[in-house]
Amino acid sequence: MALFDENVSVTPAPRRRMPKGMIAGVWALAIALVILLVITFLPTSYVIQRPGPVYNTLGTASAADGTQVPLISVEGADTYPTEGALDLLTVQVVGNRERTPSWFELALAWFDPTKAVLPIDNVFPEGQTTDERNEESAALMVDSQKEATAAALTHLGYDVNPHIRVYSFTDDSAAAGNLEEDDVILSANGTPVSDAATLRTIINDGGGAPVEMVIERDGVEQTVSVTPRETEIDGETTWLIGVTLLSDYDFPFDVTIQLNNVGGPSAGMMFALGIIDTLTPGELNGGEQIAGTGTIDSAGNVGPIGGIRQKMWGAVGAGADWFLAPESNCDEVVGYVPDGLRVFSVGTLDDAIAALDAISTGGDLDALPTCTAG
């Protein structure tokens, strides 16, 4: 039986041409992919915030040499065992002025509820280098540790003798040549000053007249005179001497906070709670794991912070069930609380301690302030 006939020729069917519309679509898709590829590598003007490491103020942290040391240590006073966790939260920033995230990274972050996409100017002010920002952030961390220690010890009844110290000068500082870094300002125009707000009021009440200050420099008191310069802020005239001040204190014993590679002031409240728990019998948190964030001043006032949504996700990731949030951040909290996390609003150190007491004793949690839609 023949399988084929060599006398029969077979003509293949003509190849069907692709419709013009389909050809146009393929070209459009190819061009779009090329454009997308090019855009992916173009510089952007945004950075990404995401949850950073979580640190237990009652636990340990890595020292500069890599060894584990107590995050909070006290010398010269009785301390007591602690349990559970009082977690402070951090936020990591992806990108800087030297290297911004790609558009592809931004697109992925945009649809990730744990991350936030922000204009780079919101994080890195125009004209400020990454090194300058890191230096400023480190200084704010040091200041927050002092404020937290002052708030905690004041709450416990200790006298901390507050005073202000010159940290740095602006480029056109009116005080340059009269004040020096590390000068302690004791009084201005005959009025004792222990905080920057009081000094600011005295300067502006003078309406530009020279301000006579008694300072302490290298342990010696002396008098200097500084003539403020007029400037306009938000449409209002004000008078400035062009210095950055840091609050300082004379503590009755040594409180050391060791936390490397973390900057900014937002851990202040949790530092204060950790110090109080370390210096008092029992567990302030009832042995539970509680997270929180917020700046603090020596009077115990809790202030707003950045990246609170990322910090709430960080708390959930660390296993916390409760979160203490500054009441001034409540507008960023409502509608964005992760499942499984209960948030309480606090405006002062006393509010935070009241929340911890209710959690630790099984008190009426429904009676505690929470963030609600305004």
Side-chain angles (χ1 to χ4, degrees):
M1 181 175 62
L3 297 178
F4 62 90
D5 189 341
E6 61 182 6
N7 296 317
V8 176
S9 61
V10 179
T11 303
R15 181 178 297 175
R16 296 179 59 187
R17 291 189 176 184
M18 188 180 296
K20 291 183 178 180
M22 185 176 294
I23 293 174
V26 170
W27 274 107
L29 178 60
I31 293 171
L33 290 174
V34 171
I35 293 174
L36 180 61
L37 182 63
V38 172
I39 288 177
T40 297
F41 293 98
L42 289 177
T44 66
S45 56
Y46 298 90
V47 293
I48 299 169
Q49 282 186 338
R50 65 185 182 191
V54 177
Y55 300 93
N56 178 13
T57 60
L58 306 178
T60 62
S62 295
D65 60 2
T67 60
Q68 289 293 305
V69 296
L71 196 150
I72 295 174
S73 58
V74 176
E75 291 185 12
D78 292 334
T79 60
Y80 300 88
T82 59
E83 295 290 340
L86 290 171
D87 288 334
L88 67 87
L89 296 314
T90 67
V91 172
Q92 287 185 332
V93 177
V94 179
N96 51 45
R97 290 202 176 275
E98 289 75 36
R99 190 274 178 192
T100 57
S102 68
W103 288 104
F104 182 69
E105 291 173 298
L106 293 176
L108 292 178
W110 186 266
F111 295 100
D112 187 340
T114 70
K115 298 177 181 178
V117 176
L118 300 175
I120 196 168
D121 289 341
N122 288 15
V123 182
F124 296 91
E126 184 70 35
Q128 185 184 54
T129 66
T130 301
D131 287 343
E132 289 171 341
R133 179 181 181 273
N134 291 340
E135 182 179 346
E136 178 185 7
S137 185
L140 289 172
M141 169 58 81
V142 171
D143 193 45
S144 76
Q145 293 175 359
K146 292 180 180 179
E147 294 287 306
T149 303
L153 298 191
T154 299
H155 174 82
L156 294 174
Y158 293 98
D159 182 10
V160 298
N161 185 28
H163 48 276
I164 52 176
R165 184 183 303 273
V166 176
Y167 175 70
S168 63
F169 297 85
T170 61
D171 291 338
D172 58 347
S173 173
N178 297 301
L179 293 175
E180 296 180 3
E181 290 182 5
D182 290 329
D183 283 350
V184 176
I185 300 176
L186 304 176
S187 68
N189 289 345
T191 301
V193 296
S194 59
D195 58 77
T198 300
L199 178 60
R200 195 177 300 117
T201 298
I202 294 171
I203 292 171
N204 278 280
D205 286 348
V211 179
E212 189 173 89
M213 302 180 188
V214 177
I215 65 170
E216 181 182 302
R217 180 181 297 163
D218 298 327
V220 178
E221 288 190 14
Q222 56 183 283
T223 301
V224 299
S225 180
V226 177
T227 301
R229 289 179 180 165
E230 183 178 5
T231 188
E232 189 173 290
I233 299 177
D234 296 331
E236 295 186 7
T237 298
T238 189
W239 299 89
L240 301 175
I241 62 172
V243 298
T244 300
L245 301 171
L246 287 181
S247 297
D248 213 344
Y249 307 89
D250 294 327
F251 298 129
F253 46 82
D254 292 334
V255 177
T256 303
I257 299 174
Q258 299 194 67
L259 188 59
N260 291 316
N261 302 318
V262 176
S266 65
M269 180 184 71
M270 299 310 291
F271 285 149
L273 293 174
I275 293 168
I276 293 172
D277 202 2
T278 300
L279 290 170
T280 54
E283 291 85 31
L284 196 62
N285 56 3
E288 300 287 347
Q289 182 176 0
I290 301 170
T293 187
T295 65
I296 201 165
D297 62 21
S298 60
N301 298 306
V302 175
I305 52 85
I308 192 164
R309 295 175 188 172
Q310 285 68 54
K311 290 179 179 179
M312 288 191 292
W313 281 106
V316 170
D321 296 317
W322 294 279
F323 186 90
L324 306 180
E327 63 181 10
S328 43
N329 280 116
C330 273
D331 58 336
E332 301 173 74
V333 170
V334 176
Y336 294 94
V337 179
D339 291 340
L341 190 68
R342 189 162 185 180
V343 177
F344 301 110
S345 169
V346 296
T348 65
L349 180 59
D350 287 342
D351 291 343
I353 292 174
L356 294 181
D357 181 66
I359 294 170
S360 64
T361 62
D364 185 4
L365 299 182
D366 293 334
L368 295 174
T370 59
C371 288
T372 56

